[in-house]
Amino acid sequence: MLMLLVQALAVGRRVLRHAEALGEDMLREGTAPEGLKRPVSDTTLDRLLGKLEPEGLEQEVEQLVRRGLDKGLIRHELFARGVVSIDGKAGESTPGQAPCEPSHTTKDEQGREYWYPYALRASLTSSTAQPVLDQKLLEGKQGEATAFPELFKRVVEKFGRHFEYVTVDAGMTSAANARVVREAGKHYLMALKENFHRLHDKAWVALAVAPVKVRVRERAKGEWVERELRVVDKPPEEDFPGAQQWVWVRQTRTRDGELPKVETRLFLTSIPTGQLSPERMLTLVRRHWGIENGPNWTADVVLEEDSASPSLRGNAPLVLSWLRLLAYNLLALVRTHLPTRDKRPQSFARTMEVLYQGLLGLAVLPESLATLACAPASCSRSGLPAPLLPWLFGLCTFTPVLPRRPSFGRRPEGCSLFACECLDLLSASSKPLLRTLDQSCLLPGKSKFHRDSECLRNTRLKGR
Protein backbone atom coordinates (compact mmCIF):
# COMPACT_ATOMS: atom_id res chain seq x y z
CA MET A 1 0.00 0.00 0.00
CA LEU A 2 2.89 2.37 0.67
CA MET A 3 4.27 1.71 -2.78
CA LEU A 4 0.86 2.46 -4.25
CA LEU A 5 0.88 5.82 -2.47
CA VAL A 6 4.37 6.66 -3.76
CA GLN A 7 3.37 5.76 -7.31
CA ALA A 8 0.13 7.74 -7.00
CA LEU A 9 1.98 10.85 -5.79
CA ALA A 10 4.54 10.50 -8.58
CA VAL A 11 1.87 10.47 -11.31
CA GLY A 12 -0.16 13.32 -9.84
CA ARG A 13 -2.86 11.32 -8.01
CA ARG A 14 -2.75 13.34 -4.80
CA VAL A 15 -6.28 12.49 -3.61
CA LEU A 16 -6.61 9.15 -1.83
CA ARG A 17 -9.63 8.22 -3.93
CA HIS A 18 -7.55 8.70 -7.06
CA ALA A 19 -4.83 6.52 -5.51
CA GLU A 20 -7.50 3.88 -4.94
CA ALA A 21 -8.49 4.10 -8.62
CA LEU A 22 -4.84 3.79 -9.69
CA GLY A 23 -4.50 0.61 -7.64
CA GLU A 24 -7.58 -0.86 -9.33
CA ASP A 25 -6.17 0.02 -12.76
CA MET A 26 -2.84 -1.66 -12.01
CA LEU A 27 -4.54 -4.75 -10.58
CA ARG A 28 -6.57 -5.04 -13.75
CA GLU A 29 -3.46 -4.72 -15.92
CA GLY A 30 -1.37 -7.05 -13.74
CA THR A 31 1.21 -4.38 -12.88
CA ALA A 32 0.33 -3.78 -9.23
CA PRO A 33 3.09 -3.77 -6.57
CA GLU A 34 3.86 -7.09 -4.93
CA GLY A 35 1.52 -7.78 -2.03
CA LEU A 36 -1.35 -5.74 -3.48
CA LYS A 37 -3.79 -8.54 -4.26
CA ARG A 38 -7.06 -6.62 -4.19
CA PRO A 39 -8.26 -3.01 -4.36
CA VAL A 40 -7.50 -0.79 -1.36
CA SER A 41 -10.08 1.80 -0.39
CA ASP A 42 -9.23 5.43 0.27
CA THR A 43 -10.45 4.98 3.85
CA THR A 44 -7.91 2.20 4.42
CA LEU A 45 -5.14 4.36 2.98
CA ASP A 46 -6.16 7.24 5.25
CA ARG A 47 -6.05 5.03 8.34
CA LEU A 48 -2.68 3.61 7.31
CA LEU A 49 -1.16 7.08 6.94
CA GLY A 50 -2.51 8.14 10.33
CA LYS A 51 -1.13 5.16 12.24
CA LEU A 52 2.18 4.56 10.45
CA GLU A 53 5.38 5.81 12.09
CA PRO A 54 7.84 7.66 9.80
CA GLU A 55 10.84 5.75 11.17
CA GLY A 56 12.35 3.55 8.49
CA LEU A 57 11.35 5.69 5.50
CA GLU A 58 14.64 7.57 5.87
CA GLN A 59 16.49 4.36 4.99
CA GLU A 60 14.32 3.89 1.90
CA VAL A 61 15.28 7.35 0.59
CA GLU A 62 18.96 6.64 1.29
CA GLN A 63 18.80 3.27 -0.42
CA LEU A 64 17.11 4.64 -3.52
CA VAL A 65 19.72 7.37 -4.01
CA ARG A 66 22.67 5.13 -3.15
CA ARG A 67 21.65 2.56 -5.72
CA GLY A 68 21.20 5.29 -8.32
CA LEU A 69 24.72 6.54 -7.61
CA ASP A 70 26.23 3.04 -7.70
CA LYS A 71 24.53 2.24 -11.01
CA GLY A 72 25.57 5.53 -12.60
CA LEU A 73 22.00 6.79 -12.99
CA ILE A 74 22.83 9.79 -10.79
CA ARG A 75 25.92 11.62 -12.01
CA HIS A 76 27.58 14.99 -11.38
CA GLU A 77 26.84 16.52 -14.77
CA LEU A 78 26.54 20.09 -13.45
CA PHE A 79 29.54 20.23 -11.09
CA ALA A 80 32.18 17.52 -11.23
CA ARG A 81 33.25 17.48 -7.56
CA GLY A 82 29.73 17.23 -6.18
CA VAL A 83 27.58 19.86 -4.45
CA VAL A 84 25.05 19.36 -1.66
CA SER A 85 22.64 22.23 -1.02
CA ILE A 86 20.68 22.41 2.23
CA ASP A 87 17.52 24.48 2.59
CA GLY A 88 14.24 24.54 4.49
CA LYS A 89 10.86 23.62 3.00
CA ALA A 90 7.42 24.35 4.47
CA GLY A 91 4.36 22.23 3.79
CA GLU A 92 0.66 23.05 3.69
CA SER A 93 -0.64 25.54 6.28
CA THR A 94 -3.68 24.05 8.03
CA PRO A 95 -6.07 25.66 10.55
CA GLY A 96 -6.27 24.10 14.01
CA GLN A 97 -3.94 22.17 16.32
CA ALA A 98 -0.93 20.27 14.99
CA PRO A 99 -1.80 16.54 14.94
CA CYS A 100 1.73 15.32 15.76
CA GLU A 101 5.25 16.39 16.65
CA PRO A 102 7.51 18.04 15.63
CA SER A 103 4.87 20.15 13.83
CA HIS A 104 4.20 23.25 15.92
CA THR A 105 0.92 25.08 16.48
CA THR A 106 1.14 28.85 16.07
CA LYS A 107 -1.26 31.81 15.73
CA ASP A 108 -1.80 34.41 13.04
CA GLU A 109 -2.43 38.14 13.55
CA GLN A 110 -6.12 37.52 14.30
CA GLY A 111 -5.25 34.94 16.97
CA ARG A 112 -6.40 31.93 14.92
CA GLU A 113 -4.40 28.74 15.40
CA TYR A 114 -2.71 27.03 12.49
CA TRP A 115 0.19 24.68 11.86
CA TYR A 116 2.36 23.45 9.00
CA PRO A 117 5.02 20.75 8.58
CA TYR A 118 8.55 22.03 8.06
CA ALA A 119 11.62 20.11 6.93
CA LEU A 120 15.30 20.85 6.42
CA ARG A 121 16.34 19.03 3.24
CA ALA A 122 19.63 18.18 1.57
CA SER A 123 19.78 17.82 -2.22
CA LEU A 124 22.59 16.73 -4.55
CA THR A 125 22.38 19.81 -6.80
CA SER A 126 25.44 18.86 -8.84
CA SER A 127 23.27 16.24 -10.57
CA THR A 128 20.70 16.95 -13.26
CA ALA A 129 18.20 14.86 -11.31
CA GLN A 130 18.91 16.82 -8.09
CA PRO A 131 17.71 14.00 -5.80
CA VAL A 132 16.90 14.72 -2.16
CA LEU A 133 19.37 12.82 0.03
CA ASP A 134 17.82 13.28 3.46
CA GLN A 135 15.65 15.57 5.55
CA LYS A 136 15.06 16.50 9.17
CA LEU A 137 11.58 17.49 10.28
CA LEU A 138 11.45 20.64 12.43
CA GLU A 139 8.97 22.78 14.33
CA GLY A 140 9.59 25.71 11.99
CA LYS A 141 12.13 27.82 10.12
CA GLN A 142 13.59 29.17 13.35
CA GLY A 143 15.22 25.78 14.06
CA GLU A 144 17.28 25.55 10.85
CA ALA A 145 20.61 26.70 12.27
CA THR A 146 20.57 24.30 15.23
CA ALA A 147 19.31 21.36 13.13
CA PHE A 148 21.97 21.78 10.43
CA PRO A 149 24.82 19.88 12.21
CA GLU A 150 22.73 16.74 12.74
CA LEU A 151 21.42 16.65 9.17
CA PHE A 152 24.83 17.45 7.69
CA LYS A 153 26.58 14.72 9.67
CA ARG A 154 23.98 12.18 8.51
CA VAL A 155 24.49 13.22 4.88
CA VAL A 156 28.29 12.96 5.24
CA GLU A 157 27.98 9.52 6.81
CA LYS A 158 25.77 8.25 3.99
CA PHE A 159 27.10 10.10 0.92
CA GLY A 160 30.35 11.78 2.02
CA ARG A 161 32.44 10.49 -0.88
CA HIS A 162 30.01 11.87 -3.47
CA PHE A 163 30.41 15.60 -2.75
CA GLU A 164 33.01 18.17 -1.76
CA TYR A 165 31.06 21.43 -1.46
CA VAL A 166 28.10 22.43 0.74
CA THR A 167 25.90 25.47 0.16
CA VAL A 168 23.43 26.90 2.69
CA ASP A 169 21.15 29.91 2.97
CA ALA A 170 21.68 32.76 5.41
CA GLY A 171 19.50 31.16 8.08
CA MET A 172 22.14 28.46 8.63
CA THR A 173 25.20 30.71 8.38
CA SER A 174 27.05 30.58 11.69
CA ALA A 175 30.54 30.00 13.03
CA ALA A 176 29.43 26.72 14.63
CA ASN A 177 28.04 25.33 11.37
CA ALA A 178 31.11 26.48 9.44
CA ARG A 179 33.30 24.61 11.92
CA VAL A 180 31.19 21.44 11.50
CA VAL A 181 31.63 21.55 7.72
CA ARG A 182 35.39 22.09 7.86
CA GLU A 183 35.86 19.33 10.45
CA ALA A 184 34.19 16.95 7.98
CA GLY A 185 36.73 17.90 5.32
CA LYS A 186 34.23 19.76 3.11
CA HIS A 187 34.14 23.34 1.82
CA TYR A 188 31.18 25.62 2.46
CA LEU A 189 29.50 28.45 0.59
CA MET A 190 27.26 30.35 3.03
CA ALA A 191 24.91 33.21 2.16
CA LEU A 192 25.66 36.39 4.07
CA LYS A 193 22.85 38.79 4.99
CA GLU A 194 22.14 41.61 7.42
CA ASN A 195 21.84 39.21 10.36
CA PHE A 196 25.66 39.45 10.48
CA HIS A 197 25.61 43.25 10.57
CA ARG A 198 29.29 44.09 10.92
CA LEU A 199 30.57 41.28 8.71
CA HIS A 200 27.97 41.94 6.02
CA ASP A 201 28.68 45.68 5.91
CA LYS A 202 32.44 45.19 5.77
CA ALA A 203 32.14 42.59 2.99
CA TRP A 204 29.80 44.86 1.03
CA VAL A 205 32.24 47.77 1.15
CA ALA A 206 35.16 45.60 0.07
CA LEU A 207 33.27 43.90 -2.77
CA ALA A 208 31.58 47.07 -4.10
CA VAL A 209 34.94 48.40 -5.36
CA ALA A 210 36.38 45.01 -6.40
CA PRO A 211 36.78 44.30 -10.13
CA VAL A 212 34.27 42.06 -11.90
CA LYS A 213 35.86 38.63 -12.41
CA VAL A 214 33.32 37.24 -14.85
CA ARG A 215 30.08 38.41 -16.48
CA VAL A 216 27.57 36.05 -18.11
CA ARG A 217 24.53 37.04 -20.17
CA GLU A 218 21.83 34.63 -21.31
CA ARG A 219 18.23 34.47 -22.48
CA ALA A 220 15.81 32.71 -20.11
CA LYS A 221 12.00 32.64 -19.98
CA GLY A 222 11.52 35.62 -22.28
CA GLU A 223 14.01 37.93 -20.57
CA TRP A 224 17.71 38.69 -20.56
CA VAL A 225 19.60 37.66 -17.43
CA GLU A 226 23.05 39.04 -16.67
CA ARG A 227 25.15 37.78 -13.77
CA GLU A 228 28.44 39.22 -12.59
CA LEU A 229 30.84 37.84 -10.00
CA ARG A 230 33.31 39.61 -7.75
CA VAL A 231 35.63 37.88 -5.30
CA VAL A 232 38.04 39.23 -2.65
CA ASP A 233 40.15 37.50 -0.03
CA LYS A 234 38.87 37.70 3.52
CA PRO A 235 40.90 40.12 5.65
CA PRO A 236 43.05 38.26 8.21
CA GLU A 237 41.56 40.21 11.13
CA GLU A 238 38.10 38.73 10.47
CA ASP A 239 37.69 35.59 12.55
CA PHE A 240 35.30 33.10 10.97
CA PRO A 241 36.15 29.35 10.98
CA GLY A 242 37.80 28.36 7.72
CA ALA A 243 36.66 31.43 5.75
CA GLN A 244 38.94 32.30 2.81
CA GLN A 245 36.97 34.53 0.43
CA TRP A 246 34.00 36.88 0.15
CA VAL A 247 31.83 36.51 -2.96
CA TRP A 248 29.48 39.00 -4.60
CA VAL A 249 26.92 37.95 -7.26
CA ARG A 250 24.68 40.54 -8.91
CA GLN A 251 21.84 39.36 -11.13
CA THR A 252 20.01 41.74 -13.47
CA ARG A 253 16.82 40.65 -15.25
CA THR A 254 15.61 42.73 -18.19
CA ARG A 255 12.34 42.27 -20.05
CA ASP A 256 11.21 44.40 -22.98
CA GLY A 257 9.13 47.36 -21.83
CA GLU A 258 9.92 46.87 -18.13
CA LEU A 259 12.46 48.27 -15.70
CA PRO A 260 15.43 45.98 -14.90
CA LYS A 261 15.20 43.89 -11.72
CA VAL A 262 18.49 43.80 -9.81
CA GLU A 263 19.34 41.36 -7.02
CA THR A 264 22.67 41.28 -5.17
CA ARG A 265 23.80 38.51 -2.87
CA LEU A 266 26.90 38.08 -0.73
CA PHE A 267 28.52 34.78 0.22
CA LEU A 268 31.22 33.59 2.59
CA THR A 269 33.28 30.59 1.49
CA SER A 270 36.09 28.38 2.73
CA ILE A 271 37.30 27.61 -0.81
CA PRO A 272 40.95 28.69 -1.10
CA THR A 273 41.88 31.33 -3.65
CA GLY A 274 42.61 29.81 -7.04
CA GLN A 275 40.97 26.42 -6.40
CA LEU A 276 38.00 27.38 -8.61
CA SER A 277 38.04 29.66 -11.61
CA PRO A 278 35.60 32.62 -11.56
CA GLU A 279 33.35 30.76 -13.99
CA ARG A 280 33.24 27.70 -11.74
CA MET A 281 32.63 29.84 -8.66
CA LEU A 282 29.63 31.43 -10.39
CA THR A 283 28.40 27.95 -11.31
CA LEU A 284 28.71 26.89 -7.66
CA VAL A 285 26.59 29.86 -6.58
CA ARG A 286 23.95 28.92 -9.13
CA ARG A 287 23.97 25.35 -7.79
CA HIS A 288 22.99 26.86 -4.44
CA TRP A 289 19.84 28.20 -6.10
CA GLY A 290 19.28 24.78 -7.67
CA ILE A 291 17.53 23.39 -4.59
CA GLU A 292 14.93 26.18 -4.84
CA ASN A 293 14.43 25.76 -8.58
CA GLY A 294 14.55 21.95 -8.42
CA PRO A 295 13.23 19.94 -5.44
CA ASN A 296 11.42 22.80 -3.68
CA TRP A 297 9.72 24.12 -6.82
CA THR A 298 8.71 20.62 -7.90
CA ALA A 299 7.33 19.80 -4.45
CA ASP A 300 5.18 22.95 -4.46
CA VAL A 301 4.03 23.18 -8.08
CA VAL A 302 4.07 19.57 -9.32
CA LEU A 303 3.44 17.55 -6.13
CA GLU A 304 1.44 20.38 -4.50
CA GLU A 305 3.08 19.89 -1.12
CA ASP A 306 2.12 23.35 0.14
CA SER A 307 -1.49 23.33 -1.09
CA ALA A 308 -2.98 19.83 -0.99
CA SER A 309 -2.49 17.04 1.55
CA PRO A 310 -4.17 13.65 1.00
CA SER A 311 -4.58 13.14 4.75
CA LEU A 312 -4.24 15.11 7.99
CA ARG A 313 -4.92 12.22 10.35
CA GLY A 314 -2.33 11.44 13.07
CA ASN A 315 1.17 10.99 11.66
CA ALA A 316 0.00 11.38 8.05
CA PRO A 317 1.74 14.78 7.43
CA LEU A 318 5.11 13.35 8.53
CA VAL A 319 4.73 10.07 6.61
CA LEU A 320 3.58 11.91 3.49
CA SER A 321 6.64 14.17 3.70
CA TRP A 322 8.89 11.10 3.28
CA LEU A 323 6.65 9.49 0.65
CA ARG A 324 6.79 12.70 -1.39
CA LEU A 325 10.59 12.55 -1.31
CA LEU A 326 10.45 9.03 -2.72
CA ALA A 327 7.93 10.18 -5.34
CA TYR A 328 10.07 13.21 -6.26
CA ASN A 329 13.25 11.16 -6.58
CA LEU A 330 11.44 8.60 -8.75
CA LEU A 331 9.95 11.32 -10.95
CA ALA A 332 13.25 13.21 -11.26
CA LEU A 333 15.20 10.07 -12.23
CA VAL A 334 12.67 9.06 -14.87
CA ARG A 335 12.72 12.61 -16.26
CA THR A 336 16.50 12.69 -16.66
CA HIS A 337 16.42 9.44 -18.66
CA LEU A 338 13.69 10.46 -21.09
CA PRO A 339 14.68 11.86 -24.51
CA THR A 340 15.23 15.61 -24.35
CA ARG A 341 13.02 18.09 -26.19
CA ASP A 342 14.74 21.08 -27.84
CA LYS A 343 17.87 20.17 -25.81
CA ARG A 344 15.92 20.56 -22.58
CA PRO A 345 14.56 17.89 -20.22
CA GLN A 346 10.97 16.85 -20.64
CA SER A 347 8.44 18.73 -18.53
CA PHE A 348 7.33 17.15 -15.27
CA ALA A 349 3.78 16.96 -16.67
CA ARG A 350 5.01 14.86 -19.60
CA THR A 351 7.14 12.74 -17.27
CA MET A 352 4.07 12.02 -15.15
CA GLU A 353 2.17 10.90 -18.24
CA VAL A 354 4.96 8.55 -19.31
CA LEU A 355 5.32 7.15 -15.81
CA TYR A 356 1.55 6.63 -15.55
CA GLN A 357 1.52 4.76 -18.87
CA GLY A 358 4.48 2.70 -17.69
CA LEU A 359 2.61 1.72 -14.54
CA LEU A 360 -0.27 0.41 -16.63
CA GLY A 361 1.92 -1.31 -19.20
CA LEU A 362 0.92 1.15 -21.94
CA ALA A 363 4.51 2.37 -22.38
CA VAL A 364 8.00 1.05 -21.71
CA LEU A 365 10.18 3.17 -19.47
CA PRO A 366 13.89 3.70 -20.24
CA GLU A 367 15.85 0.45 -19.93
CA SER A 368 18.53 2.17 -17.84
CA LEU A 369 16.10 2.50 -14.95
CA ALA A 370 15.45 -1.25 -14.98
CA THR A 371 18.94 -1.81 -13.57
CA LEU A 372 17.61 -0.77 -10.19
CA ALA A 373 14.96 -3.47 -10.26
CA CYS A 374 17.50 -6.14 -9.35
CA ALA A 375 17.66 -4.99 -5.71
CA PRO A 376 17.23 -8.03 -3.46
CA ALA A 377 14.26 -8.13 -1.15
CA SER A 378 16.56 -8.24 1.86
CA CYS A 379 18.04 -4.83 1.06
CA SER A 380 15.26 -2.96 2.86
CA ARG A 381 16.27 -1.99 6.40
CA SER A 382 13.10 -0.14 7.35
CA GLY A 383 11.14 -3.09 8.70
CA LEU A 384 8.28 -2.40 6.30
CA PRO A 385 6.09 -5.37 5.29
CA ALA A 386 7.38 -5.19 1.69
CA PRO A 387 10.49 -3.37 0.41
CA LEU A 388 9.74 -0.23 -1.51
CA LEU A 389 12.88 0.03 -3.59
CA PRO A 390 12.55 -2.94 -6.00
CA TRP A 391 9.18 -1.63 -7.15
CA LEU A 392 10.26 1.94 -7.65
CA PHE A 393 12.36 1.00 -10.64
CA GLY A 394 10.93 -2.33 -11.65
CA LEU A 395 8.11 -0.70 -13.55
CA CYS A 396 9.17 -2.02 -16.95
CA THR A 397 9.86 -5.56 -15.73
CA PHE A 398 6.35 -6.53 -14.65
CA THR A 399 4.75 -9.50 -16.40
CA PRO A 400 1.01 -8.88 -16.81
CA VAL A 401 -1.12 -11.71 -15.43
CA LEU A 402 -4.60 -11.48 -16.91
CA PRO A 403 -7.34 -13.88 -18.00
CA ARG A 404 -7.35 -14.55 -21.71
CA ARG A 405 -9.40 -12.13 -23.75
CA PRO A 406 -9.96 -11.92 -27.51
CA SER A 407 -7.09 -10.09 -29.21
CA PHE A 408 -7.16 -8.46 -32.62
CA GLY A 409 -3.65 -9.36 -33.63
CA ARG A 410 -0.23 -10.48 -32.46
CA ARG A 411 0.51 -9.18 -28.98
CA PRO A 412 3.70 -7.03 -28.90
CA GLU A 413 6.23 -8.05 -26.31
CA GLY A 414 5.77 -6.22 -22.99
CA CYS A 415 2.31 -4.94 -23.93
CA SER A 416 -0.73 -5.84 -21.82
CA LEU A 417 -3.76 -7.43 -23.46
CA PHE A 418 -5.91 -4.42 -22.69
CA ALA A 419 -3.36 -2.02 -24.23
CA CYS A 420 -3.10 -4.15 -27.38
CA GLU A 421 -6.84 -4.16 -27.82
CA CYS A 422 -6.86 -0.37 -27.62
CA LEU A 423 -4.08 -0.14 -30.21
CA ASP A 424 -5.91 -2.44 -32.62
CA LEU A 425 -9.07 -0.41 -32.25
CA LEU A 426 -7.33 2.78 -33.38
CA SER A 427 -7.72 1.71 -37.00
CA ALA A 428 -11.51 1.85 -36.68
CA SER A 429 -13.59 4.92 -37.36
CA SER A 430 -14.30 7.37 -34.55
CA LYS A 431 -17.82 6.29 -33.60
CA PRO A 432 -17.09 2.54 -33.42
CA LEU A 433 -13.89 3.39 -31.55
CA LEU A 434 -15.75 5.33 -28.86
CA ARG A 435 -18.45 2.68 -28.62
CA THR A 436 -15.99 -0.21 -28.33
CA LEU A 437 -13.73 1.61 -25.85
CA ASP A 438 -16.74 2.34 -23.69
CA GLN A 439 -17.46 -1.40 -23.53
CA SER A 440 -13.80 -2.38 -23.04
CA CYS A 441 -13.25 0.04 -20.18
CA LEU A 442 -16.27 -1.11 -18.17
CA LEU A 443 -14.39 -3.90 -16.46
CA PRO A 444 -14.98 -4.89 -12.83
CA GLY A 445 -14.34 -1.81 -10.69
CA LYS A 446 -14.20 0.42 -13.77
CA SER A 447 -17.52 2.22 -13.61
CA LYS A 448 -16.59 5.82 -12.84
CA PHE A 449 -17.02 8.22 -15.73
CA HIS A 450 -13.71 10.04 -15.20
CA ARG A 451 -11.83 6.74 -15.32
CA ASP A 452 -13.48 5.82 -18.63
CA SER A 453 -12.36 9.19 -19.99
CA GLU A 454 -8.86 8.56 -18.69
CA CYS A 455 -8.81 5.19 -20.43
CA LEU A 456 -9.68 6.83 -23.75
CA ARG A 457 -7.07 9.56 -23.23
CA ASN A 458 -4.30 7.04 -22.62
CA THR A 459 -5.33 5.11 -25.72
CA ARG A 460 -5.06 8.23 -27.84
CA LEU A 461 -1.66 9.04 -26.35
CA LYS A 462 -0.39 5.57 -27.21
CA GLY A 463 -1.77 5.88 -30.73
CA ARG A 464 0.40 8.93 -31.42
Side-chain angles (χ1 to χ4, degrees):
M1 287 189 287
L2 283 178
M3 190 58 247
L4 173 62
L5 288 169
V6 173
Q7 292 171 337
L9 290 170
V11 298
R13 273 56 176 178
R14 291 171 287 274
V15 180
L16 293 182
R17 183 159 294 182
H18 295 170
E20 172 190 348
L22 176 64
E24 293 174 1
D25 292 342
M26 291 194 292
L27 282 169
R28 186 192 66 244
E29 291 300 316
T31 59
E34 185 181 26
L36 190 65
K37 304 300 182 183
R38 56 185 178 182
V40 182
S41 68
D42 57 340
T43 304
T44 301
L45 294 174
D46 185 45
R47 290 174 179 171
L48 172 68
L49 288 171
K51 294 180 179 180
L52 189 66
E53 295 292 335
E55 285 77 12
L57 293 175
E58 173 190 334
Q59 284 76 18
E60 298 297 338
V61 173
E62 174 193 355
Q63 197 175 66
L64 190 158
V65 177
R66 185 181 299 281
R67 193 164 184 82
L69 288 166
D70 294 342
K71 292 292 183 179
L73 299 180
I74 301 175
R75 300 181 296 273
H76 302 293
E77 304 99 330
L78 305 179
F79 207 91
R81 295 184 180 181
V83 181
V84 166
S85 299
I86 300 179
D87 195 16
K89 176 70 180 67
E92 177 190 13
S93 177
T94 306
Q97 292 277 344
C100 56
E101 295 182 352
S103 300
H104 178 65
T105 303
T106 186
K107 294 183 179 181
D108 60 14
E109 296 177 353
Q110 286 74 35
R112 294 171 297 191
E113 292 185 336
Y114 72 96
W115 66 276
Y116 59 90
Y118 195 89
L120 191 63
R121 292 176 178 172
S123 172
L124 191 66
T125 52
S126 55
S127 170
T128 304
Q130 300 183 110
V132 176
L133 307 178
D134 200 354
Q135 72 171 2
K136 179 174 175 56
L137 300 169
L138 308 176
E139 289 187 0
K141 187 177 180 64
Q142 64 277 4
E144 286 184 347
T146 55
F148 172 84
E150 180 182 345
L151 177 62
F152 175 73
K153 289 176 181 178
R154 282 186 353 209
V155 172
V156 171
E157 181 181 352
K158 299 173 185 176
F159 306 103
R161 66 186 183 90
H162 293 287
F163 70 96
E164 185 174 343
Y165 302 103
V166 182
T167 71
V168 300
D169 215 346
M172 287 166 278
T173 300
S174 69
N177 290 342
R179 191 175 294 108
V180 169
V181 174
R182 293 302 298 138
E183 288 175 354
K186 309 297 181 184
H187 286 297
Y188 61 78
L189 179 77
M190 294 182 170
L192 191 60
K193 291 186 178 180
E194 289 81 359
N195 53 338
F196 282 83
H197 301 287
R198 187 187 60 79
L199 187 59
H200 176 272
D201 293 345
K202 192 168 184 178
W204 185 281
V205 171
L207 288 164
V209 297
V212 175
K213 297 292 185 179
V214 62
R215 182 179 285 111
V216 177
R217 181 177 171 85
E218 63 182 7
R219 186 81 172 173
K221 298 180 180 179
E223 60 185 8
W224 285 104
V225 182
E226 182 178 274
R227 300 179 181 90
E228 62 179 38
L229 174 88
R230 306 181 187 186
V231 181
V232 297
D233 291 340
K234 180 189 71 68
E237 63 271 14
E238 292 298 330
D239 184 20
F240 197 90
Q244 298 288 329
Q245 300 180 88
W246 290 336
V247 181
W248 157 305
V249 175
R250 171 166 289 178
Q251 179 175 272
T252 305
R253 294 182 175 273
T254 307
R255 189 183 294 269
D256 295 339
E258 298 181 6
L259 294 175
K261 299 178 181 178
V262 180
E263 182 181 13
T264 303
R265 294 194 181 187
L266 303 186
F267 296 89
L268 188 67
T269 181
S270 64
I271 301 173
T273 304
Q275 184 178 110
L276 295 180
S277 65
E279 293 79 7
R280 297 297 289 167
M281 182 67 78
L282 181 59
T283 301
L284 179 60
V285 172
R286 296 190 65 183
R287 288 299 87 222
H288 169 69
W289 294 329
I291 190 170
E292 284 287 348
N293 300 329
N296 289 356
W297 180 89
T298 306
D300 286 342
V301 179
V302 180
L303 302 179
E304 297 185 6
E305 184 175 31
D306 65 343
S307 59
S309 179
S311 175
L312 297 174
R313 182 195 298 264
N315 289 330
L318 307 184
V319 174
L320 283 167
S321 179
W322 286 104
L323 296 184
R324 279 195 182 96
L325 291 192
L326 288 165
Y328 165 76
N329 286 346
L330 168 61
L331 197 59
L333 276 175
V334 172
R335 180 173 181 246
T336 57
H337 286 79
L338 291 178
T340 58
R341 183 180 180 85
D342 298 330
K343 298 182 180 180
R344 296 176 63 87
Q346 295 280 356
S347 67
F348 277 101
R350 175 57 181 160
T351 305
M352 281 183 167
E353 289 183 3
V354 173
L355 184 55
Y356 175 72
Q357 295 174 45
L359 288 173
L360 297 186
L362 298 175
V364 179
L365 296 178
E367 293 183 1
S368 58
L369 293 175
T371 60
L372 293 186
C374 61
S378 60
C379 66
S380 177
R381 294 177 291 170
S382 64
L384 297 175
L388 287 170
L389 182 60
W391 302 109
L392 281 174
F393 296 96
L395 304 179
C396 50
T397 62
F398 288 120
T399 303
V401 180
L402 292 174
R404 291 187 62 83
R405 294 189 223 153
S407 181
F408 293 86
R410 183 175 178 272
R411 177 183 175 188
E413 183 178 356
C415 181
S416 69
L417 289 173
F418 177 70
C420 293
E421 292 173 5
C422 292
L423 291 175
D424 292 333
L425 287 170
L426 285 172
S427 59
S429 60
S430 58
K431 289 184 179 179
L433 170 62
L434 291 173
R435 188 164 52 248
T436 311
L437 275 176
D438 186 59
Q439 297 172 356
S440 299
C441 291
L442 290 177
L443 301 171
K446 186 74 175 181
S447 58
K448 297 184 178 66
F449 172 78
H450 75 276
R451 296 180 60 198
D452 295 338
S453 303
E454 191 172 81
C455 168
L456 176 59
R457 179 179 66 85
N458 289 330
T459 306
R460 286 174 176 167
L461 287 173
K462 183 63 179 179
R464 292 177 187 173

